[in-house]
Amino acid sequence: MSSTTTKTPSRPDGTSLSHGLKQRHLSMIALGGVIGAGLFVGSGAGIAAAGPSIVLAYTLSGLLVMLVMRMLGEMSAAYPSSGSFSAHAERAFGPWAGFTAGWGFWVLLCTAVGLEGIGAAQIASNWLPGTPEWAWVALFMAVFCGANLAAVRNFGEFEFWFAALKVGAISLFLLLGVLAIAGVLPGTDAPGTAHLGELLPHGGEGLVIGLLASVFAYGGLETVTIAAAESENPVKGVARAVRTAMWRIALFYIGSMAVIVTLVPWDSPAVVQKGPYVAALDSLGIPGAAQLMNVVVFVALLSAMNANIYGASRIAYSLVERGQGPKALGRVSGGVPRRAVLASSAFGFGCVLLSYWRPDDVFSWLLNMIGAVILVVWIFIAASQLRLRRRMEREEPEKLVVRMWLFPGLTVVALAGMAAVFLLMAREPDTRVQLYSTGAMTLALAAAGYVRQRRRARA
């Protein structure tokens, strides 16, 4: 039995979510959500494996992400909800689907909060030698937990300025890179095609590794559809964010990879050791490049912590509102689900403690378990859109403000692309464990969700 739950109407007593996000907040969240620490640092391993073909890898995965965002935008503009894809999956397939997608994503976001806190703490400890990393993590958790507890506009303001700095940094990088490639940057010679000799230096295997790395670098785009439910005009906000997704992906991801592999030899040790952006800036002889990029990466990590605490708390709140979790987490005061914020922050901090106490077994198991969750979420998005689109066309055609391109053909193509990524993960030893671990967690959640659904139906 499908659910028809949408977002809870706003009430003046502050016991439902507020609408404190302005359009400028939503626009910057959409823009900054594309630029994560994975792009600045994690892309180095992909470049080392794929060589110049990393541009092709990011293009292919970028096309897949564009389709996913378009499908999610269609549903979120029609049915704005803080549960986003979880609420859409419930509407399409029943409570078990919303339960599976929602709680799986919650675990992913909370674990990511801990990982990002550790990464930011390592940078801070390098800046101030002798300061313990755990103290930095505790400080960051307290700041962002407090910001999310206060009011949604606090989250919006943090993300607005974080995103502005990230967008400014990567835009400056692209400008300098293009000038250097064109040979008009003072003190540099145009590299030409000297570093682009062999497209596939490690053959198809290298391209596969680069493709897998690029797919997971795109995580974070979903936050804007969660945040849209608390904006002044959810439908308009989602529509605008989705319609600009294409040029953001093309400019920031694919453009960056093209600039980097043109400026720096793909097999340079600095690409992995220092990070591809630092290596590219160093090749231009720009002083202080490493420290500048460390600041940008630091900001990207803090931004991701802030966004993930927010996203996790709203997903948890939506699940509880739909009867899919402990009622205690659903309490809202001052327009904020404060208990859900605290629970999400506590889970994230627990992951940090596990990284110290049990790094080789429990923590590594947790990392493997969330390794492919984003692909599971994308499959739920595509499958839900495939079912809901027909229903909307019959029953509520006026809600189709954003439309998926060439439906249903491109939806089926996207599903086939996701299946192909799963098959590629099964071929690679490093990702096979993640695939199986995520699969086991997904099946366990689906079974629990189905049992809950049957019990509620009988009751």
Side-chain angles (χ1 to χ4, degrees):
M1 181 174 65
S2 297
S3 170
T4 56
T5 304
T6 57
K7 70 182 180 69
T8 305
S10 181
R11 295 187 294 271
D13 59 2
T15 57
S16 65
L17 296 185
S18 68
H19 292 266
L21 292 178
K22 299 182 182 298
Q23 185 58 48
R24 68 180 179 90
H25 293 146
L26 208 60
S27 297
M28 265 308 184
I29 290 168
L31 201 57
V34 189
I35 310 169
L39 175 62
F40 289 116
V41 180
S43 54
I47 293 171
S53 68
I54 192 68
V55 179
L56 175 60
Y58 269 85
T59 301
L60 291 173
S61 54
L63 290 171
L64 177 60
V65 172
M66 288 177 196
L67 297 180
V68 171
M69 280 302 294
R70 189 74 184 187
M71 289 184 280
L72 183 56
E74 177 182 287
M75 295 183 290
S76 296
Y79 309 112
S81 168
S82 58
S84 187
F85 52 83
S86 171
H88 306 324
E90 179 172 332
R91 185 182 293 273
F93 299 106
W96 72 268
F99 183 94
T100 305
W103 285 117
F105 195 66
W106 183 81
V107 172
L108 168 66
L109 291 184
C110 293
T111 306
V113 167
L115 293 176
E116 288 142 6
I118 293 169
Q122 289 171 346
I123 294 175
S125 293
N126 287 333
W127 287 340
L128 294 172
T131 54
E133 289 182 10
W134 66 265
W136 285 110
V137 175
L139 174 63
F140 302 148
M141 294 293 293
V143 168
F144 294 120
C145 179
N148 278 278
L149 284 172
V152 70
R153 66 176 176 271
N154 289 6
F155 159 75
E157 283 298 325
F158 267 114
E159 279 307 291
F160 179 85
W161 294 108
F162 280 154
L165 194 149
K166 291 188 293 183
V167 169
I170 201 166
S171 299
L172 180 60
F173 171 83
L174 289 170
L175 175 62
L176 293 173
V178 170
L179 291 176
I181 292 169
V184 296
L185 188 69
T188 60
D189 297 321
T193 58
H195 303 145
L196 304 176
E198 192 175 358
L199 180 64
L200 294 166
H202 293 148
E205 201 70 18
L207 177 60
V208 167
I209 296 172
L211 181 62
L212 293 176
S214 65
V215 165
F216 297 109
Y218 282 111
L221 284 163
E222 304 82 9
T223 303
V224 70
T225 59
I226 296 172
E230 293 182 80
S231 66
E232 296 171 324
N233 191 328
V235 175
K236 179 182 176 182
V238 167
R240 182 179 297 179
V242 169
R243 284 168 182 155
T244 58
M246 183 176 295
W247 72 261
R248 293 199 309 269
I249 290 171
L251 178 65
F252 293 136
Y253 276 85
I254 303 169
S256 287
M257 292 302 107
V259 166
I260 289 167
V261 295
T262 303
L263 291 177
V264 186
W266 64 268
D267 55 353
S268 170
V271 170
V272 176
Q273 294 169 3
K274 295 182 178 181
Y277 288 81
V278 173
L281 291 174
D282 279 347
S283 73
L284 301 180
I286 297 176
Q291 276 306 101
L292 176 64
M293 287 311 302
N294 266 337
V295 171
V296 175
V297 172
F298 182 70
V299 169
L301 287 164
L302 296 183
S303 172
M305 283 186 74
N306 187 40
N308 287 341
I309 290 174
Y310 170 83
S313 66
R314 270 40 177 197
I315 284 286
Y317 164 79
S318 176
L319 285 162
V320 173
E321 277 286 291
R322 304 190 323 261
Q324 305 270 24
K327 292 182 179 179
L329 295 183
R331 184 175 178 180
V332 176
S333 56
V336 177
R338 289 179 173 146
R339 292 184 180 181
V341 170
L342 289 171
S344 302
S345 301
F347 191 103
F349 196 67
C351 295
V352 174
L353 296 178
L354 284 176
S355 74
Y356 290 113
W357 296 338
R358 305 296 295 268
D360 298 325
D361 45 23
V362 179
F363 187 63
S364 61
W365 169 79
L366 185 62
L367 292 185
N368 283 327
M369 192 174 69
I370 65 169
V373 167
I374 198 65
L375 275 174
V376 173
V377 166
W378 289 356
I379 286 177
F380 271 112
I381 289 171
S384 300
Q385 191 268 339
L386 197 60
R387 172 168 284 196
L388 291 179
R389 172 63 175 270
R390 295 297 191 200
R391 191 184 302 173
M392 280 191 283
E393 287 176 337
R394 288 195 312 270
E395 302 171 4
E396 303 171 293
E398 72 281 358
K399 288 185 175 289
L400 283 169
V401 179
V402 178
R403 289 175 179 264
M404 177 60 181
W405 305 300
L406 299 177
F407 178 84
L410 285 184
T411 300
V412 175
V413 168
L415 281 167
M418 295 169 207
V421 173
F422 272 127
L423 290 175
L424 293 176
M425 288 185 73
R427 290 180 62 242
E428 297 295 324
D430 291 341
T431 54
R432 190 180 301 138
V433 177
Q434 295 179 7
L435 180 63
Y436 295 158
S437 300
T438 299
M441 181 183 75
T442 302
L443 289 174
L445 286 173
Y450 183 73
V451 169
R452 287 176 60 90
Q453 179 177 321
R454 294 286 294 177
R455 285 177 179 173
R456 291 180 67 187
R458 285 199 298 269

